[in-house]
Amino acid sequence: MQVLQVQLEVGPDPAEVGRARRWARSRLAGSGIGDDEPLAETLVLLISELVTNAVVHTGCPAVLRMLFAAEGGVRVEVADASDRPPQPRHAEGEDTNGRGLELVDGLADRWGWQREGAGKSIWCEVDRAPVTPASGPGAVAPGRVRC
């Protein structure tokens, strides 16, 4: 399995989350995942949640990595200097935070965490659905005529 890895160092400032999203969009486009693909939106949301968690809950710099597998799947990792395991919480009603890991759990195909050096890395993976002739670019719906 061939993998391309890119990474970005993220400072301990909440404004860095926006920079991480912009950087991720450009790397996704460079890997052939278009801005208009649902996969791109899902990955940017996952990145936003994981980077926000690292910045807000540790107050330390972090490293965002994206790994692109030859088969089309994408793995996102955010490593930080805190050795505290992630603490999934359940947000209630009007709560404005506490939903990050619930979103990750709902959107990613797989996720988890592991110790990395003196800190940890939280990761998630999203599989890319293969483009089939019936659903790919330029496909013609059954019963339709291409003009």
PDB file of all heavy atoms in Angstrom, residues 110-144:
ATOM      1  N   ARG A 110     -13.417   4.878  11.052  1.00  0.00           N
ATOM      2  CA  ARG A 110     -12.711   4.352  12.211  1.00  0.00           C
ATOM      3  C   ARG A 110     -12.024   5.524  12.906  1.00  0.00           C
ATOM      4  O   ARG A 110     -11.643   6.488  12.247  1.00  0.00           O
ATOM      5  CB  ARG A 110     -11.614   3.356  11.788  1.00  0.00           C
ATOM      6  CG  ARG A 110     -12.139   2.051  11.244  1.00  0.00           C
ATOM      7  CD  ARG A 110     -11.075   1.291  10.470  1.00  0.00           C
ATOM      8  NE  ARG A 110     -10.568   1.977   9.290  1.00  0.00           N
ATOM      9  CZ  ARG A 110     -11.245   2.118   8.153  1.00  0.00           C
ATOM     10  NH1 ARG A 110     -12.464   1.635   8.028  1.00  0.00           N
ATOM     11  NH2 ARG A 110     -10.715   2.737   7.106  1.00  0.00           N
ATOM     12  N   TRP A 111     -11.851   5.432  14.211  1.00  0.00           N
ATOM     13  CA  TRP A 111     -11.065   6.431  14.917  1.00  0.00           C
ATOM     14  C   TRP A 111     -10.526   5.839  16.198  1.00  0.00           C
ATOM     15  O   TRP A 111     -10.998   4.813  16.668  1.00  0.00           O
ATOM     16  CB  TRP A 111     -11.854   7.713  15.175  1.00  0.00           C
ATOM     17  CG  TRP A 111     -12.842   7.643  16.313  1.00  0.00           C
ATOM     18  CD1 TRP A 111     -14.109   7.133  16.272  1.00  0.00           C
ATOM     19  CD2 TRP A 111     -12.645   8.082  17.654  1.00  0.00           C
ATOM     20  NE1 TRP A 111     -14.700   7.235  17.499  1.00  0.00           N
ATOM     21  CE2 TRP A 111     -13.826   7.829  18.375  1.00  0.00           C
ATOM     22  CE3 TRP A 111     -11.577   8.681  18.330  1.00  0.00           C
ATOM     23  CZ2 TRP A 111     -13.965   8.134  19.723  1.00  0.00           C
ATOM     24  CZ3 TRP A 111     -11.719   8.995  19.673  1.00  0.00           C
ATOM     25  CH2 TRP A 111     -12.914   8.719  20.344  1.00  0.00           C
ATOM     26  N   GLY A 112      -9.528   6.477  16.749  1.00  0.00           N
ATOM     27  CA  GLY A 112      -8.945   6.027  17.997  1.00  0.00           C
ATOM     28  C   GLY A 112      -7.828   6.966  18.418  1.00  0.00           C
ATOM     29  O   GLY A 112      -7.684   8.058  17.886  1.00  0.00           O
ATOM     30  N   TRP A 113      -7.049   6.498  19.357  1.00  0.00           N
ATOM     31  CA  TRP A 113      -5.914   7.299  19.810  1.00  0.00           C
ATOM     32  C   TRP A 113      -4.808   6.358  20.257  1.00  0.00           C
ATOM     33  O   TRP A 113      -5.041   5.182  20.509  1.00  0.00           O
ATOM     34  CB  TRP A 113      -6.322   8.264  20.930  1.00  0.00           C
ATOM     35  CG  TRP A 113      -6.574   7.612  22.247  1.00  0.00           C
ATOM     36  CD1 TRP A 113      -7.700   6.946  22.622  1.00  0.00           C
ATOM     37  CD2 TRP A 113      -5.675   7.527  23.340  1.00  0.00           C
ATOM     38  NE1 TRP A 113      -7.554   6.456  23.891  1.00  0.00           N
ATOM     39  CE2 TRP A 113      -6.324   6.813  24.366  1.00  0.00           C
ATOM     40  CE3 TRP A 113      -4.384   7.996  23.568  1.00  0.00           C
ATOM     41  CZ2 TRP A 113      -5.717   6.549  25.585  1.00  0.00           C
ATOM     42  CZ3 TRP A 113      -3.778   7.739  24.790  1.00  0.00           C
ATOM     43  CH2 TRP A 113      -4.447   7.029  25.778  1.00  0.00           C
ATOM     44  N   GLN A 114      -3.609   6.895  20.326  1.00  0.00           N
ATOM     45  CA  GLN A 114      -2.462   6.109  20.757  1.00  0.00           C
ATOM     46  C   GLN A 114      -1.436   7.044  21.391  1.00  0.00           C
ATOM     47  O   GLN A 114      -1.417   8.238  21.086  1.00  0.00           O
ATOM     48  CB  GLN A 114      -1.842   5.365  19.575  1.00  0.00           C
ATOM     49  CG  GLN A 114      -1.330   6.310  18.493  1.00  0.00           C
ATOM     50  CD  GLN A 114      -1.254   5.661  17.130  1.00  0.00           C
ATOM     51  OE1 GLN A 114      -2.044   4.789  16.809  1.00  0.00           O
ATOM     52  NE2 GLN A 114      -0.311   6.098  16.332  1.00  0.00           N
ATOM     53  N   ARG A 115      -0.635   6.498  22.259  1.00  0.00           N
ATOM     54  CA  ARG A 115       0.457   7.277  22.843  1.00  0.00           C
ATOM     55  C   ARG A 115       1.476   7.553  21.736  1.00  0.00           C
ATOM     56  O   ARG A 115       1.716   6.706  20.878  1.00  0.00           O
ATOM     57  CB  ARG A 115       1.118   6.508  23.972  1.00  0.00           C
ATOM     58  CG  ARG A 115       0.135   6.181  25.077  1.00  0.00           C
ATOM     59  CD  ARG A 115       0.567   6.771  26.393  1.00  0.00           C
ATOM     60  NE  ARG A 115      -0.411   6.439  27.428  1.00  0.00           N
ATOM     61  CZ  ARG A 115      -1.199   7.347  27.977  1.00  0.00           C
ATOM     62  NH1 ARG A 115      -1.121   8.588  27.621  1.00  0.00           N
ATOM     63  NH2 ARG A 115      -2.066   6.994  28.914  1.00  0.00           N
ATOM     64  N   GLU A 116       2.032   8.757  21.763  1.00  0.00           N
ATOM     65  CA  GLU A 116       3.058   9.119  20.785  1.00  0.00           C
ATOM     66  C   GLU A 116       4.100   9.957  21.516  1.00  0.00           C
ATOM     67  O   GLU A 116       3.809  11.095  21.902  1.00  0.00           O
ATOM     68  CB  GLU A 116       2.437   9.893  19.629  1.00  0.00           C
ATOM     69  CG  GLU A 116       3.434  10.223  18.542  1.00  0.00           C
ATOM     70  CD  GLU A 116       2.798  10.809  17.304  1.00  0.00           C
ATOM     71  OE1 GLU A 116       1.854  10.199  16.769  1.00  0.00           O
ATOM     72  OE2 GLU A 116       3.258  11.872  16.878  1.00  0.00           O
ATOM     73  N   GLY A 117       5.268   9.390  21.720  1.00  0.00           N
ATOM     74  CA  GLY A 117       6.293  10.089  22.491  1.00  0.00           C
ATOM     75  C   GLY A 117       5.763  10.364  23.894  1.00  0.00           C
ATOM     76  O   GLY A 117       5.192   9.496  24.543  1.00  0.00           O
ATOM     77  N   ALA A 118       5.930  11.600  24.341  1.00  0.00           N
ATOM     78  CA  ALA A 118       5.437  11.988  25.664  1.00  0.00           C
ATOM     79  C   ALA A 118       3.963  12.384  25.614  1.00  0.00           C
ATOM     80  O   ALA A 118       3.353  12.626  26.645  1.00  0.00           O
ATOM     81  CB  ALA A 118       6.264  13.151  26.210  1.00  0.00           C
ATOM     82  N   GLY A 119       3.386  12.445  24.411  1.00  0.00           N
ATOM     83  CA  GLY A 119       1.993  12.867  24.256  1.00  0.00           C
ATOM     84  C   GLY A 119       1.128  11.779  23.656  1.00  0.00           C
ATOM     85  O   GLY A 119       1.270  10.604  23.977  1.00  0.00           O
ATOM     86  N   LYS A 120       0.239  12.206  22.771  1.00  0.00           N
ATOM     87  CA  LYS A 120      -0.677  11.258  22.137  1.00  0.00           C
ATOM     88  C   LYS A 120      -1.004  11.714  20.725  1.00  0.00           C
ATOM     89  O   LYS A 120      -0.742  12.849  20.345  1.00  0.00           O
ATOM     90  CB  LYS A 120      -1.963  11.134  22.940  1.00  0.00           C
ATOM     91  CG  LYS A 120      -2.814  12.381  22.881  1.00  0.00           C
ATOM     92  CD  LYS A 120      -4.120  12.201  23.611  1.00  0.00           C
ATOM     93  CE  LYS A 120      -4.876  13.487  23.770  1.00  0.00           C
ATOM     94  NZ  LYS A 120      -4.156  14.605  24.326  1.00  0.00           N
ATOM     95  N   SER A 121      -1.600  10.821  19.978  1.00  0.00           N
ATOM     96  CA  SER A 121      -2.098  11.112  18.637  1.00  0.00           C
ATOM     97  C   SER A 121      -3.528  10.586  18.566  1.00  0.00           C
ATOM     98  O   SER A 121      -3.788   9.442  18.926  1.00  0.00           O
ATOM     99  CB  SER A 121      -1.224  10.418  17.594  1.00  0.00           C
ATOM    100  OG  SER A 121      -1.772  10.566  16.311  1.00  0.00           O
ATOM    101  N   ILE A 122      -4.435  11.442  18.144  1.00  0.00           N
ATOM    102  CA  ILE A 122      -5.812  11.023  17.897  1.00  0.00           C
ATOM    103  C   ILE A 122      -5.956  10.933  16.385  1.00  0.00           C
ATOM    104  O   ILE A 122      -5.535  11.834  15.658  1.00  0.00           O
ATOM    105  CB  ILE A 122      -6.831  12.017  18.489  1.00  0.00           C
ATOM    106  CG1 ILE A 122      -6.622  12.121  19.988  1.00  0.00           C
ATOM    107  CG2 ILE A 122      -8.258  11.583  18.169  1.00  0.00           C
ATOM    108  CD1 ILE A 122      -7.513  13.131  20.674  1.00  0.00           C
ATOM    109  N   TRP A 123      -6.523   9.842  15.906  1.00  0.00           N
ATOM    110  CA  TRP A 123      -6.593   9.611  14.469  1.00  0.00           C
ATOM    111  C   TRP A 123      -8.005   9.215  14.066  1.00  0.00           C
ATOM    112  O   TRP A 123      -8.797   8.738  14.882  1.00  0.00           O
ATOM    113  CB  TRP A 123      -5.598   8.529  14.031  1.00  0.00           C
ATOM    114  CG  TRP A 123      -5.819   7.221  14.724  1.00  0.00           C
ATOM    115  CD1 TRP A 123      -5.235   6.804  15.887  1.00  0.00           C
ATOM    116  CD2 TRP A 123      -6.710   6.167  14.327  1.00  0.00           C
ATOM    117  NE1 TRP A 123      -5.696   5.556  16.227  1.00  0.00           N
ATOM    118  CE2 TRP A 123      -6.606   5.144  15.296  1.00  0.00           C
ATOM    119  CE3 TRP A 123      -7.582   5.999  13.255  1.00  0.00           C
ATOM    120  CZ2 TRP A 123      -7.346   3.967  15.205  1.00  0.00           C
ATOM    121  CZ3 TRP A 123      -8.317   4.831  13.171  1.00  0.00           C
ATOM    122  CH2 TRP A 123      -8.191   3.820  14.134  1.00  0.00           C
ATOM    123  N   CYS A 124      -8.296   9.429  12.793  1.00  0.00           N
ATOM    124  CA  CYS A 124      -9.536   8.912  12.209  1.00  0.00           C
ATOM    125  C   CYS A 124      -9.264   8.589  10.758  1.00  0.00           C
ATOM    126  O   CYS A 124      -8.350   9.134  10.141  1.00  0.00           O
ATOM    127  CB  CYS A 124     -10.701   9.893  12.373  1.00  0.00           C
ATOM    128  SG  CYS A 124     -10.502  11.456  11.518  1.00  0.00           S
ATOM    129  N   GLU A 125     -10.057   7.681  10.228  1.00  0.00           N
ATOM    130  CA  GLU A 125      -9.915   7.256   8.836  1.00  0.00           C
ATOM    131  C   GLU A 125     -11.262   7.332   8.141  1.00  0.00           C
ATOM    132  O   GLU A 125     -12.288   6.979   8.731  1.00  0.00           O
ATOM    133  CB  GLU A 125      -9.384   5.828   8.763  1.00  0.00           C
ATOM    134  CG  GLU A 125      -7.995   5.687   9.332  1.00  0.00           C
ATOM    135  CD  GLU A 125      -7.491   4.256   9.386  1.00  0.00           C
ATOM    136  OE1 GLU A 125      -8.303   3.314   9.339  1.00  0.00           O
ATOM    137  OE2 GLU A 125      -6.263   4.095   9.493  1.00  0.00           O
ATOM    138  N   VAL A 126     -11.203   7.792   6.885  1.00  0.00           N
ATOM    139  CA  VAL A 126     -12.400   7.857   6.056  1.00  0.00           C
ATOM    140  C   VAL A 126     -12.076   7.143   4.757  1.00  0.00           C
ATOM    141  O   VAL A 126     -11.084   7.457   4.091  1.00  0.00           O
ATOM    142  CB  VAL A 126     -12.829   9.317   5.783  1.00  0.00           C
ATOM    143  CG1 VAL A 126     -14.049   9.360   4.884  1.00  0.00           C
ATOM    144  CG2 VAL A 126     -13.099  10.049   7.095  1.00  0.00           C
ATOM    145  N   ASP A 127     -12.896   6.162   4.420  1.00  0.00           N
ATOM    146  CA  ASP A 127     -12.713   5.427   3.166  1.00  0.00           C
ATOM    147  C   ASP A 127     -13.323   6.236   2.041  1.00  0.00           C
ATOM    148  O   ASP A 127     -14.366   6.872   2.210  1.00  0.00           O
ATOM    149  CB  ASP A 127     -13.397   4.060   3.248  1.00  0.00           C
ATOM    150  CG  ASP A 127     -12.812   3.206   4.359  1.00  0.00           C
ATOM    151  OD1 ASP A 127     -11.605   3.345   4.654  1.00  0.00           O
ATOM    152  OD2 ASP A 127     -13.570   2.406   4.938  1.00  0.00           O
ATOM    153  N   ARG A 128     -12.693   6.190   0.902  1.00  0.00           N
ATOM    154  CA  ARG A 128     -13.223   6.884  -0.270  1.00  0.00           C
ATOM    155  C   ARG A 128     -13.963   5.867  -1.118  1.00  0.00           C
ATOM    156  O   ARG A 128     -13.398   4.857  -1.517  1.00  0.00           O
ATOM    157  CB  ARG A 128     -12.098   7.507  -1.074  1.00  0.00           C
ATOM    158  CG  ARG A 128     -12.602   8.373  -2.199  1.00  0.00           C
ATOM    159  CD  ARG A 128     -11.452   9.108  -2.846  1.00  0.00           C
ATOM    160  NE  ARG A 128     -11.958  10.110  -3.761  1.00  0.00           N
ATOM    161  CZ  ARG A 128     -11.204  10.840  -4.523  1.00  0.00           C
ATOM    162  NH1 ARG A 128      -9.887  10.698  -4.477  1.00  0.00           N
ATOM    163  NH2 ARG A 128     -11.729  11.721  -5.336  1.00  0.00           N
ATOM    164  N   ALA A 129     -15.239   6.152  -1.352  1.00  0.00           N
ATOM    165  CA  ALA A 129     -16.038   5.240  -2.169  1.00  0.00           C
ATOM    166  C   ALA A 129     -15.482   5.254  -3.590  1.00  0.00           C
ATOM    167  O   ALA A 129     -15.192   6.315  -4.132  1.00  0.00           O
ATOM    168  CB  ALA A 129     -17.498   5.672  -2.171  1.00  0.00           C
ATOM    169  N   PRO A 130     -15.311   4.092  -4.182  1.00  0.00           N
ATOM    170  CA  PRO A 130     -14.796   4.060  -5.547  1.00  0.00           C
ATOM    171  C   PRO A 130     -15.798   4.680  -6.520  1.00  0.00           C
ATOM    172  O   PRO A 130     -17.005   4.592  -6.321  1.00  0.00           O
ATOM    173  CB  PRO A 130     -14.614   2.564  -5.838  1.00  0.00           C
ATOM    174  CG  PRO A 130     -15.505   1.875  -4.858  1.00  0.00           C
ATOM    175  CD  PRO A 130     -15.620   2.776  -3.657  1.00  0.00           C
ATOM    176  N   VAL A 131     -15.268   5.339  -7.528  1.00  0.00           N
ATOM    177  CA  VAL A 131     -16.126   5.909  -8.568  1.00  0.00           C
ATOM    178  C   VAL A 131     -16.500   4.798  -9.520  1.00  0.00           C
ATOM    179  O   VAL A 131     -15.642   4.125 -10.077  1.00  0.00           O
ATOM    180  CB  VAL A 131     -15.400   7.049  -9.318  1.00  0.00           C
ATOM    181  CG1 VAL A 131     -16.245   7.567 -10.458  1.00  0.00           C
ATOM    182  CG2 VAL A 131     -15.034   8.160  -8.365  1.00  0.00           C
ATOM    183  N   THR A 132     -17.785   4.571  -9.671  1.00  0.00           N
ATOM    184  CA  THR A 132     -18.253   3.536 -10.589  1.00  0.00           C
ATOM    185  C   THR A 132     -18.681   4.195 -11.888  1.00  0.00           C
ATOM    186  O   THR A 132     -19.030   5.367 -11.907  1.00  0.00           O
ATOM    187  CB  THR A 132     -19.455   2.777  -9.993  1.00  0.00           C
ATOM    188  OG1 THR A 132     -20.505   3.709  -9.769  1.00  0.00           O
ATOM    189  CG2 THR A 132     -19.077   2.108  -8.683  1.00  0.00           C
ATOM    190  N   PRO A 133     -18.682   3.456 -12.996  1.00  0.00           N
ATOM    191  CA  PRO A 133     -19.073   4.053 -14.261  1.00  0.00           C
ATOM    192  C   PRO A 133     -20.466   4.693 -14.211  1.00  0.00           C
ATOM    193  O   PRO A 133     -20.706   5.691 -14.844  1.00  0.00           O
ATOM    194  CB  PRO A 133     -19.040   2.878 -15.243  1.00  0.00           C
ATOM    195  CG  PRO A 133     -18.085   1.908 -14.618  1.00  0.00           C
ATOM    196  CD  PRO A 133     -18.236   2.083 -13.137  1.00  0.00           C
ATOM    197  N   ALA A 134     -21.367   4.139 -13.428  1.00  0.00           N
ATOM    198  CA  ALA A 134     -22.723   4.682 -13.366  1.00  0.00           C
ATOM    199  C   ALA A 134     -22.810   5.951 -12.521  1.00  0.00           C
ATOM    200  O   ALA A 134     -23.780   6.675 -12.592  1.00  0.00           O
ATOM    201  CB  ALA A 134     -23.681   3.635 -12.803  1.00  0.00           C
ATOM    202  N   SER A 135     -21.777   6.219 -11.687  1.00  0.00           N
ATOM    203  CA  SER A 135     -21.863   7.382 -10.825  1.00  0.00           C
ATOM    204  C   SER A 135     -20.710   8.357 -11.016  1.00  0.00           C
ATOM    205  O   SER A 135     -20.666   9.373 -10.358  1.00  0.00           O
ATOM    206  CB  SER A 135     -21.890   6.939  -9.356  1.00  0.00           C
ATOM    207  OG  SER A 135     -20.654   6.326  -9.018  1.00  0.00           O
ATOM    208  N   GLY A 136     -19.788   8.057 -11.889  1.00  0.00           N
ATOM    209  CA  GLY A 136     -18.618   8.901 -12.072  1.00  0.00           C
ATOM    210  C   GLY A 136     -18.926  10.137 -12.895  1.00  0.00           C
ATOM    211  O   GLY A 136     -20.046  10.351 -13.364  1.00  0.00           O
ATOM    212  N   PRO A 137     -17.907  10.996 -13.060  1.00  0.00           N
ATOM    213  CA  PRO A 137     -18.095  12.198 -13.864  1.00  0.00           C
ATOM    214  C   PRO A 137     -18.560  11.853 -15.273  1.00  0.00           C
ATOM    215  O   PRO A 137     -18.069  10.917 -15.886  1.00  0.00           O
ATOM    216  CB  PRO A 137     -16.701  12.824 -13.894  1.00  0.00           C
ATOM    217  CG  PRO A 137     -15.983  12.217 -12.730  1.00  0.00           C
ATOM    218  CD  PRO A 137     -16.585  10.862 -12.532  1.00  0.00           C
ATOM    219  N   GLY A 138     -19.511  12.587 -15.763  1.00  0.00           N
ATOM    220  CA  GLY A 138     -20.025  12.363 -17.109  1.00  0.00           C
ATOM    221  C   GLY A 138     -20.985  11.201 -17.225  1.00  0.00           C
ATOM    222  O   GLY A 138     -21.392  10.836 -18.334  1.00  0.00           O
ATOM    223  N   ALA A 139     -21.349  10.580 -16.134  1.00  0.00           N
ATOM    224  CA  ALA A 139     -22.271   9.443 -16.177  1.00  0.00           C
ATOM    225  C   ALA A 139     -23.654   9.913 -16.609  1.00  0.00           C
ATOM    226  O   ALA A 139     -24.063  11.029 -16.336  1.00  0.00           O
ATOM    227  CB  ALA A 139     -22.362   8.774 -14.813  1.00  0.00           C
ATOM    228  N   VAL A 140     -24.335   9.052 -17.268  1.00  0.00           N
ATOM    229  CA  VAL A 140     -25.675   9.360 -17.719  1.00  0.00           C
ATOM    230  C   VAL A 140     -26.652   8.486 -16.913  1.00  0.00           C
ATOM    231  O   VAL A 140     -26.473   7.279 -16.827  1.00  0.00           O
ATOM    232  CB  VAL A 140     -25.840   9.050 -19.231  1.00  0.00           C
ATOM    233  CG1 VAL A 140     -27.259   9.323 -19.683  1.00  0.00           C
ATOM    234  CG2 VAL A 140     -24.857   9.868 -20.040  1.00  0.00           C
ATOM    235  N   ALA A 141     -27.630   9.124 -16.312  1.00  0.00           N
ATOM    236  CA  ALA A 141     -28.606   8.385 -15.522  1.00  0.00           C
ATOM    237  C   ALA A 141     -29.395   7.460 -16.438  1.00  0.00           C
ATOM    238  O   ALA A 141     -29.624   7.779 -17.600  1.00  0.00           O
ATOM    239  CB  ALA A 141     -29.540   9.354 -14.808  1.00  0.00           C
ATOM    240  N   PRO A 142     -29.821   6.306 -15.927  1.00  0.00           N
ATOM    241  CA  PRO A 142     -30.614   5.384 -16.742  1.00  0.00           C
ATOM    242  C   PRO A 142     -31.840   6.105 -17.313  1.00  0.00           C
ATOM    243  O   PRO A 142     -32.480   6.886 -16.632  1.00  0.00           O
ATOM    244  CB  PRO A 142     -31.035   4.293 -15.757  1.00  0.00           C
ATOM    245  CG  PRO A 142     -30.049   4.384 -14.632  1.00  0.00           C
ATOM    246  CD  PRO A 142     -29.616   5.811 -14.578  1.00  0.00           C
ATOM    247  N   GLY A 143     -32.111   5.855 -18.572  1.00  0.00           N
ATOM    248  CA  GLY A 143     -33.275   6.455 -19.215  1.00  0.00           C
ATOM    249  C   GLY A 143     -33.020   7.863 -19.729  1.00  0.00           C
ATOM    250  O   GLY A 143     -33.907   8.501 -20.278  1.00  0.00           O
ATOM    251  N   ARG A 144     -31.808   8.384 -19.567  1.00  0.00           N
ATOM    252  CA  ARG A 144     -31.459   9.723 -20.035  1.00  0.00           C
ATOM    253  C   ARG A 144     -30.569   9.619 -21.262  1.00  0.00           C
ATOM    254  O   ARG A 144     -29.837   8.672 -21.431  1.00  0.00           O
ATOM    255  CB  ARG A 144     -30.717  10.507 -18.961  1.00  0.00           C
ATOM    256  CG  ARG A 144     -31.454  10.601 -17.647  1.00  0.00           C
ATOM    257  CD  ARG A 144     -32.238  11.865 -17.618  1.00  0.00           C
ATOM    258  NE  ARG A 144     -32.938  11.925 -16.341  1.00  0.00           N
ATOM    259  CZ  ARG A 144     -33.843  12.802 -16.088  1.00  0.00           C
ATOM    260  NH1 ARG A 144     -34.174  13.676 -16.976  1.00  0.00           N
ATOM    261  NH2 ARG A 144     -34.456  12.805 -14.939  1.00  0.00           N
TER     262      ARG A 144
END
